[in-house]
Structure formats: structure tokens, C-alpha cells
Amino acid sequence: MVTEKAGKIKIVTQAGVISNALTGVPAVNPADQGGLLGICLDPAFATNRMIYWAFSEVVAGGNITAVAKGRISDNDTAIENATVIYRSNTPNNSTLHYGGRVLFDKTGNLFVSIGERSVLETRPLAQAANSSLGKIVRITTNGQAAPGNPVFSQTGALPELYTIGHRNPQGLALHPTTGELWQSEHGPRGGDEINRITAGANYGWPTITYGIEYSGAKVGEGIQQQTGMEQPVYYWDPVVSPSGMTFYAGNRVPEWQNNLFIGALSGMHIVRLAFKDNKVAGEERLLAGEGQRFRDITQGKDEALYAVTDQGRLYKIDKKQK
């Protein structure tokens, strides 16, 4: 399943055959960083054929990050009964920083990443628990707050919040052995991050960051640490613009076991990170000669990796056949 920015969902076979666009997809706002964003299959897809996706939606007051679900028709040509199940609660006319990754947890609920929409007026809302901007939320498949979510002490805190203090989180992945949630996040000028996500934690934006404003000015007070705010596991300066990501859990390339693969946009490559004790022990950059902005990467049932780019290419990354 591949989403296209303009609002189309297509099915691509392992042989590279591309279907027509599926009918029944709700309209998106494709301006700037908007459009159709992350997509995932229901864990019970083999029997219920349900999919979930994030997109930028126009509502009263501006644009939001929304999540929808629907059933793939038996003949693979349509999405049936498409329904918006969740909408971020703070619309703004900005067309930037939607976040927009969706991922099932181990209990059948959904993690959703939502950006803080970039503009100075919404940036502080990443720290406000009554706004869904700059957050990772955890919801049921009907869009309600998932049971067991952390409780934030701020007045009016939203029950769907899982973590706060994010800028533009475009990657979510579960570790294959620990089950922990990991996340990639765009910094400003410098300071792209990889975070290990802990329920109820504050990841600092815009109070702390390893980046600076695009103008060269400091962000806020220009500090990188503060009590009660999490430090990234890893950060890049200069940036690579990390987007979708996945841990490798296959056996075809044993040396890649539990390594994290991240699509890099401005970096125009795929990052491979190897870990030791939850710290990065090595970084490799793959496909840097392809000249592509890598938007997302996932592992197929055949244990190969598949990466999609902004320019419309789909790559298969696998062990060389003898």
C-alpha cells in the first residue's frame, strides 16, 4: 500500500506492478507538506481488510492532522466505508509540520504522531497538554483515547496524549525484541533527533533543542537540557531530515538484526543505525548515490526492506542473490 501526496492510495506488487488509484479516499489538502501521509494495515488485515491512514484535512479554522480508516474491497479497487476517526484539535492555516505517522501498538491501539505546525503562534502548543499539536497520541481504532494512557497534570489535558514536546515527528517504529516505541523528529537548523519514547514524557520542544532557527538565531533561550525533559538517543547536526523508519527483524541479513533504518529527506539517503545498550554504536548511509528524498521504509513479509521516495520511486533492498 502506497500513499501519494495528492490524495491517492495504490497497491504495488512485489514485481513492481502499480494498481489504479483506489476509490473512496477522503479529500486531502496537498499544499506544501500536506497530503496523504502515513498508512498501516490492521493486525487482523487478513480477515478484516482494514487500513488506517493519516492526512492533512481542511476544517473550520484551518488545517489539521486527521486519521481515517476503511476496508479494502475484495477486488482491491476501492476503500469501503472510509471514516475519519480522529482529528487534531487545534486547526491553523499553516501547511507545515503535520507529523502524520500511524502505527499499531502490541495491544491493538494506534500511535499517531502530530507536528506543531511550524509557525511561531502554534510552536508553544507542543508543551500544552490541552492541544494535540506537537504530540504522540494513542487512540483506539474508533478514535477514542486508548485505555492505559498516561495522565498529564496540566488543566484540560487531553486523554489521548502519550508524549508531549515534539516538533515534527515523521517516524514511528516498535523495537522487535523490547516492544519499545522509537521516534524520529525533524529539528530546525540542526538537531534532528531519534528518541526512545516513554509514556508521559516531555521531549522538550521548543524549550530545549540542539538546533537553531533558520535565521541563525537561537531557539528560545538556546538551551539543550532542562530538568523534566528527555534527551534524544541520537541527533544530527547538520540535519538529514529523518522521516519514516523501521527496525529490521528479518533473517536474510543477520547483521542487520534490530538495526534501525530511517528515510532521510534532505540527506537523500537511507540511514542504518546499529545500537548497543540503547545507544548508537554505528551509522551507515545507504543509496546516497540515487539522488532521492526517502520518505518511508518498511519491511515486507519476504524480509526485504521497501523504501518509497518523494520522486515516486519504490526501492527493494535485499540480500544479493547468488
Side-chain angles (χ1 to χ4, degrees), residues 68-89:
K69 69 177 181 180
R71 182 185 183 276
I72 301 297
S73 63
D74 292 340
N75 63 2
D76 292 337
T77 63
I79 295 180
E80 300 171 340
N81 301 316
T83 306
V84 177
I85 61 170
Y86 181 80
R87 291 179 168 97
S88 57
N89 77 338

Side-chain angles (χ1 to χ4, degrees), residues 59-135:
V59 297
N63 306 304
I64 59 167
T65 302
V67 180
K69 69 177 181 180
R71 182 185 183 276
I72 301 297
S73 63
D74 292 340
N75 63 2
D76 292 337
T77 63
I79 295 180
E80 300 171 340
N81 301 316
T83 306
V84 177
I85 61 170
Y86 181 80
R87 291 179 168 97
S88 57
N89 77 338
T90 318
N92 187 271
N93 288 328
S94 169
T95 50
L96 307 174
H97 293 195
Y98 289 102
R101 205 61 66 183
V102 288
L103 177 72
F104 271 92
D105 69 8
K106 297 297 186 180
T107 65
N109 295 301
L110 283 163
F111 289 116
V112 182
S113 67
I114 303 172
E116 39 71 288
R117 308 303 308 286
S118 180
V119 293
L120 291 178
E121 65 188 89
T122 60
R123 180 188 284 182
L125 296 180
Q127 290 293 319
N130 63 352
S131 170
S132 49
L133 299 191
K135 310 297 192 300

